[in-house]
Structures are given as C-alpha cells and as structure tokens.
Amino acid sequence: MKLALIEDDLLLSDTVSDILSAEGFEIFPFFSFDNAETALYEERFDMVVLDVNLPDGNGFDLAKAMRRNAIGTPILFLTSQSSAEAVALGFESGGDDYLKKPFEPAELIARLKNLTRRSFFHTSSSFIPFGKHYLFDPLSQKIMTAEGNVITLHAKELSLLKLFLLKSTEIVTYEEFFEELWGIGNEPGFDALRAHIKNLRKALPHLEIETIRSLGYRLA
Amino acid sequence: MKLALIEDDLLLSDTVSDILSAEGFEIFPFFSFDNAETALYEERFDMVVLDVNLPDGNGFDLAKAMRRNAIGTPILFLTSQSSAEAVALGFESGGDDYLKKPFEPAELIARLKNLTRRSFFHTSSSFIPFGKHYLFDPLSQKIMTAEGNVITLHAKELSLLKLFLLKSTEIVTYEEFFEELWGIGNEPGFDALRAHIKNLRKALPHLEIETIRSLGYRLA
DNA sequence: ATATGAAATTAACATTGACTTAACCCATCT
DNA sequence: AGATGGGTTAAGTCAATGTTAATTTCATAT
C-alpha cells in the first residue's frame, strides 16, 4: 500500500510517516508542490495524503490537476483550513476525504482505511465465507476463490448455492429444491436437478456436495 | 435523491431537514432505531444520515445490520461521539463518512455530495475518471479519451452513463433504468433500452458493460 | 404552419446462451 | 446378474439479448 504524503512541515511529515508506517503503509514523503506533482505523474500510488498550504502551490490545485490527468488515486486532505467552505472546496477539487488539524492519529488511520476499502471494492459489502475456499459476495452475486479469482455462476446454480448456504449442513431434499428453484407446478424433470448439481460441482470443485441417496443433497 | 435522516433529537432533525431540503434532498426523518430499520429494508434510499445514540438502539449496529443484508446505501454518521475510536468504529461498521457535532451545515452538505458522486455531475468542476480510458467532464458533459479526443454523447446515452457511474459496479436493473431515464408512466418499450445500451457500447468501446441476463446491466 | 435534420423509439431479424431433456454409463444393493 | 439411482455428456429448445434499419418524434429554422 504505497502512500504519497505531501506535507511541507518536516516535523509533522515525520510524525505522520511513523504513525502510518506502523500501520503497514509504505510512505513516500514530498515537501513541495513541484516534487509531488512530477512524482505523481510518474509513479502509481494507492493513496495520497495532501496538505493544502504548500510553499510553492495549493493542494486543491494539485488535486484538480491529478483528476484532469485521469489519476483516480484517492486523496485525503489534511489541513488546518477548517472552514466549511474549505472542506467543500476540497471535495470539489476531487478530494475523497478531509481531515482538519489537529487530528488524532487513530482517526487518520480509520479514514485512510475507509478510503482503501472504497477504492478496492467500490462499495462496502460483507462477504460470506463458505466451503473453506470461497467467498460469496451478495452485492455482485459472485463467488471469489481463495486465490482471488472471481467465478460467475448461472442463475439456477446460484439459486442452488444459496439454498445450500441457507440450510448450512442440513440435508436439502428433492422437494425443497423444486419448490425453491422452480415453484410448485413448474417443476422440470429430475434430470434437470441432477444436471445443475453437476454444473455447480464443476464450477466450485472445492465445494463438497454430498449425495444422500433417494433423498437429496447436503454440504459437507 | 431520497435521504433517510435517523436522529431522535426533534429540534436537530428539523434543522437538518430544512438545510438539506434546500439543497434538493428529499428527506425522510426517523426518530427511532426500530422505525428506521423496518423502513430501510422496505424502501430504497440514496443516502442515510445516522445518529449513533438512539433511544432504542445503537447506530453502529444498524449500519452493520444493513451491510449484512446487502444494503449498500452510503451512510454518514452524524454524532457527538468525537473520539477517534468512535470514528474508527463507525467506519468498521460499514459507514462511509463521519461528522462530529457540532457541525457547520455547509460541511455536512459538502460531505453528502461527495458521497453521492451525483454532485459531481451537476456542480463540481473536477473530472471523473472511469473505465480506465475515459474522463467525464461535468461542466461540458462530455467524455475525453486517454488519447485526448472528445466524445459527445446523446442525451439518453449520457443519462445511461451517469446512472452507471453513480452505481459504481452494482447491478442496475431494468426498472431502475426506466425509472431514472424516463420516469414511471413514460417508459418506452424494452427495445429502446437495448438500443441505447448498444449505442453507448459503440460510443465507448473500452467501457465494459456486463449484461446480467433478465435482470439488468452493470459496469465491470 | 411546414420543412428539415437529428435523435429516440420501434420493429424485424440474427445470435447467443441457459435450461431442459434424453441417452448412456457406472456404482451399489439385493 | 439384474434392478435401481445417480453421474455425465451432448444435443435440442426457447427465451433473452445483440444488431440493424425503418419509423416516429421532437426541436428548430424557414
């Protein structure tokens, strides 16, 4: 997690560096507008912490310039300009968060973590782990593997999986499958269910679906 | 822009309602945990402003419950709990921003607009990068490519794109398209939507619009 | 009013892809 | 061995979507 820290106060820059390094951020400090600008165009950072009052320029202008150049890196303004107008200007310049000095280190950390989360997933969502190898994302309705791959299931397979997750490790009977996936009166042949179970097993090889003869299926 | 305001202090609730109504938000006030929770599950809001100390429950818990139920609506905590620990807890609960009381109305407005991203489309002068190849210029309402070309979209395609950008990578359902682009009662045939999607894809070839069969579309 | 051109909508056609089905195979139990 | 149930495969079907072009609508100027 590479973080560009643009702050001309040497003492404060040092303090913030220490705090954030301890949290696992890799800090790249800059002390002037010009130095920061060239670096931002050349290198990719995951996050920018930006002071507004720089000796040779304005932080808002730097943010605007970045956005104009299609650099979408999240920006947190860290500044003593505490008026609501300054905050508004910060957001309008393309900033993603705004923290007033003086600040508590824990709050800076919390806000930075919030920004990384938003930029990575674009939206906060809770994932449901299952089968020791998989995560279910309710928002996108997709599966993520332990290796980081994303699996998109077909509608019927998805419904199958959801029913399994709902029932935990209980046996799910044939009747329950038909009722849940098709509804009474629309049941296809038994072959269809077998085919979907087969497809789900193929799509999620590490998921153990146990066969209960002449009754149903269940998760191991 | 429907905003759920969950705040038990009647006076403050009224004040905030006035401030935000003047900014064009449609305010739905709730004064208790329970009332808010049932409403949030039944209705879709674009934004939630949430007090932490409610008479019959905790705002952090409400946020957690929402996220657990895959409700991704942006949440701004508005509270007198000003410790850094409380801020951190707010973000961990699934909050998207945190503003301490007492606050300046202009700052609340600025932060809310930042959360919606819609504000960018109307008021801000900053460019919005999207799809790795494009920049959206809210002022001219035009697209700029990485190569420096300018693309002018038709009105309907523009609205489509804005809706996509607003929803980030969430699925946008057919109903949402119709509601947002035409309004209830003025919906054209389904063919129209398909045609516009097709035109947008043609106009922005590098933008990956994923089709979710018999549900809607979403950005990759 | 009328004509014009651009954009939105509709209609028709082509293509895709998910679901179902049927046939076949293998394992297990009596 | 025969019967039964489940796994596997592949082909068929139909609805959903992509695509193109014609038609309608709308805004604007004449």
Side-chain angles (χ1 to χ4, degrees), chain B residues 69-126:
Chain B
N69 285 76
I71 299 174
T73 314
I75 296 173
L76 182 143
F77 284 110
L78 183 60
T79 163
S80 51
Q81 293 200 12
S82 63
S83 74
E85 288 71 30
V87 176
L89 194 54
F91 285 119
E92 281 165 20
S93 305
D96 297 281
D97 202 353
Y98 196 106
L99 182 55
K100 299 164 190 170
K101 299 178 189 172
F103 60 92
E104 287 186 62
E107 177 162 0
L108 175 62
I109 293 164
R111 288 187 180 273
L112 283 178
K113 287 190 173 176
N114 176 50
L115 283 186
T116 64
R117 286 163 182 249
R118 175 175 287 192
S119 64
F120 286 124
F121 300 131
H122 300 313
T123 66
S124 149
S125 60
S126 68

Side-chain angles (χ1 to χ4, degrees), chain A residues 105-202:
Chain A
E107 177 163 359
L108 175 61
I109 293 165
R111 287 186 179 273
L112 284 178
K113 285 189 176 173
N114 176 50
L115 284 186
T116 61
R117 191 181 48 142
R118 268 207 280 169
S119 68
F120 272 26
F121 299 112
H122 287 274
T123 170
S124 51
S125 66
S126 53
F127 298 83
I128 301 164
F130 69 95
K132 302 196 176 183
H133 284 265
Y134 302 107
L135 281 177
F136 178 69
D137 176 9
L139 231 151
S140 70
Q141 303 279 302
K142 290 186 178 183
I143 316 300
M144 302 170 62
T145 70
E147 296 83 31
N149 299 320
V150 176
I151 298 172
T152 308
L153 295 178
H154 295 160
K156 280 277 164 340
E157 289 153 32
L158 240 182
S159 306
L160 257 183
L161 177 64
K162 285 184 192 171
L163 187 51
F164 273 128
L165 294 183
L166 194 67
K167 291 280 178 167
S168 184
T169 58
E170 280 179 66
I171 296 173
V172 185
T173 64
Y174 299 139
E175 280 81 18
E176 288 178 286
F177 282 118
F178 286 122
E179 216 173 296
E180 193 68 29
L181 299 210
W182 288 277
I184 297 166
N186 301 321
E187 295 103 339
F190 181 47
D191 292 341
L193 177 58
R194 275 158 56 205
H196 288 306
I197 288 281
K198 192 254 158 194
N199 290 337
L200 185 58
R201 279 175 167 150
K202 190 175 179 185

Side-chain angles (χ1 to χ4, degrees), chain A residues 98-111:
Chain A
Y98 196 106
L99 183 56
K100 299 163 188 168
K101 298 178 189 173
F103 60 92
E104 288 186 62
E107 177 163 359
L108 175 61
I109 293 165
R111 287 186 179 273

